[in-house]
Amino acid sequence: MEDKVMQTFHKSFGQVQSLLDQNRKLIDEINQNQASRIPGRLNRNIRRVVDVYVELSLSFTGSMEAPAEAEAASQGKPGHKRVRA
């Protein structure tokens, strides 16, 4: 079980690092687009930021649900799944 926790931690850490790298790139692009003062570019960046955080939220929710479902199954309880829109 401890190995599984460490694997999950390393996977999550990699996902966080990837998100931070994406944030850094987006911040650089946003700064460039603000300097150019072209509204369409800023809107596109805002959309990308929202998409990144939606993906992160869904990934985090999924990673938290999987261990809870596995634990419930090991205790003979029916699994609980939420329906996502």
Side-chain angles (χ1 to χ4, degrees), residues 19-72:
L19 178 65
L20 292 173
D21 293 342
Q22 289 178 33
N23 280 349
R24 186 177 302 114
K25 288 177 187 177
L26 283 171
I27 289 169
D28 289 342
E29 286 182 33
I30 289 168
N31 287 336
Q32 290 172 0
N33 291 338
Q34 275 185 317
S36 73
R37 301 203 183 272
I38 299 174
R41 288 184 179 175
L42 290 174
N43 290 339
R44 190 171 45 241
N45 287 138
I46 291 168
R47 229 177 295 120
R48 285 179 59 201
V49 169
V50 169
D51 290 344
V52 165
Y53 280 95
V54 166
E55 183 179 322
L56 175 66
S57 175
L58 292 174
S59 175
F60 179 76
T61 301
S63 69
M64 297 309 289
E65 286 177 350
E69 289 174 8
E71 183 179 338

Side-chain angles (χ1 to χ4, degrees), residues 2-29:
E2 189 173 314
D3 289 338
K4 182 102 172 145
V5 171
M6 288 304 290
Q7 288 175 350
T8 302
F9 172 77
H10 286 295
K11 180 181 175 186
S12 298
F13 182 78
Q15 290 172 336
V16 169
Q17 185 60 52
S18 174
L19 178 65
L20 292 173
D21 293 342
Q22 289 178 33
N23 280 349
R24 186 177 302 114
K25 288 177 187 177
L26 283 171
I27 289 169
D28 289 342
E29 286 182 33

